[in-house]
Amino acid sequence: MTSSLDLQSSSPSSPQDVATARRIEHHTAEVVIVGAGILGSAIAVTFARQGRSVLLLEQSLRQPDRIVGEFLQPGGVEALEDLGLRECLNGIDAIVENGYVVEYYGDPVQIPYPLNSVRTGKKAEGRSFHHGRFVQKLREAALREPNITTIETKVTGLVRDQTSGQVLGVECTTSGEPDYYFASLTIMADGCMSKFRREFINKAPVAKSKFWGMELIDAQLPNQHHGCVVLSENAPVLLYQIGTRETRVLVDVPDSLPSASVANGGIKGHLRNVVLPTLPASIQPSFTAALDRGHLRSMPNSWLPPTVNRTPGIILLGDALNMRHPLTGGGMTVALNDVLILRNLLGPKAVPDLGNTKLVLRQMRSFHWQRKNLTSVINILAQALYSLFAANGKPPLRHRTDDYLQVPDQQLKALQLGCFRYFQLGGNCVDGPSGLIAGIIRQPFVLFYHFFAVALLAIWIYIRKQSIWMLPLTLLQSVSVFWKACVVIFPFIGSELQT
């Protein structure tokens, strides 16, 4: 299936007509983009509006149905507007999001987004929606661009120069027949399950848990227009509206969790026996109804630090390049801001000829570091916050069939309490962290400041709970809490400094 503007004549005369003919008849363009998802569609439109000739390849142009990629932070909404794609949020029943509510053992604290003084001076706003509807709007925007030809085809391999190793294009199967598409630059945006990643990145994604998702109908969230994070003895639960009547619930389930074993009723048993009693009372009826309907789906919560693109002729972007835990909903914000950066770095003024592979690779090294102010914040925050919010250790070595919980990590539990009490202080203790989550505060040192402020508050809370004659042990335990904070965050900082 091929979608593009029809050729105006059999012998095209304008440069645009010539490029269109080359895409349709000769399968050749300046850019081949594999994957018409969030990033693929957005960057296709961006390059096309710069006058580039673009081939956009997608295995299935049917509306996708996923349980993640549904929460766009304010920083992502702003990037969408800067790209001229703001209208893609219209007509999809998107919900305005004004922040979060964190429920800590039934005790809630509100975390609103701060004022966006840099952009508007108004409260920042995010959006949540059905993932597939948003993707289809982006694809429609791509279909309207005369410099893009969109093709439904399955990419099966890469075409390389046998001497230099440069990627020249892709091998496909279209309607059951072998096919080929060529370009000066191939962009691989084929998502978290990318089958080409291993050829260019020597790191494999790490997933220690899954999000199990359901769609709730007419759920009553604690605060309208706010995502809700539920903390208890279990791993975190995330809830947010995706439509007027629909609410997404995502339950984090660590690998090898005893309560989700077959003996305990599997994942349904875990959700009904362990998770359900910890949810706000207003959520429980719709959660039970969704569980009875049984439409459960899961996605791995993967971590993959970014790597510099080094292979001539191809670049990896989006989840194929970099992933973080979806707890903070930062993936689409990262993707759209990456497109903004590449609009300048790979634009016609900076790179007149995308076939100049040395220049493209030099620009991609710049891209790796230019994106750090935002992406390092979102990547590190997602992983560190998940470590605190999950706050569980390894499963017990021996357990009965009624053992539902993992053995808690007491230092992480102390940090988790410190984090909640920090939010309760309000002021900058809320505005700072929420601005980081929103993607509008793009300063890694602000993240480090708040993280270690949480650690110090956790230590202070712990010390105040202890008797004076326990002071030596208390001091030792305080050091262990601070050490745990370092163990949590510094590996993620280190991963961001690598190339």
Side-chain angles (χ1 to χ4, degrees), residues 416-436:
Q416 184 188 81
L417 175 60
C419 183
F420 182 74
R421 298 295 183 223
Y422 192 74
F423 292 152
Q424 286 184 316
L425 295 176
N428 189 48
C429 298
V430 166
D431 288 347
S434 67
L436 292 166

Side-chain angles (χ1 to χ4, degrees), residues 5 18 22 31 39 50 92 145 209 215 218 234 238 247 279 334 341 358-359 362 364 384 412 425 439-440 451 461 497:
L5 295 184
V18 171
R22 286 176 61 81
V31 186
L39 186 141
Q50 292 180 322
I92 60 172
E145 292 295 325
S209 70
E215 187 175 297
D218 296 330
N234 312 307
L238 178 62
T247 294
L279 297 177
V334 167
I341 295 172
K358 289 184 179 180
L359 179 56
R362 186 160 66 243
M364 292 310 297
L412 284 177
L425 295 176
I440 58 178
F451 184 83
I461 293 170
L497 296 176

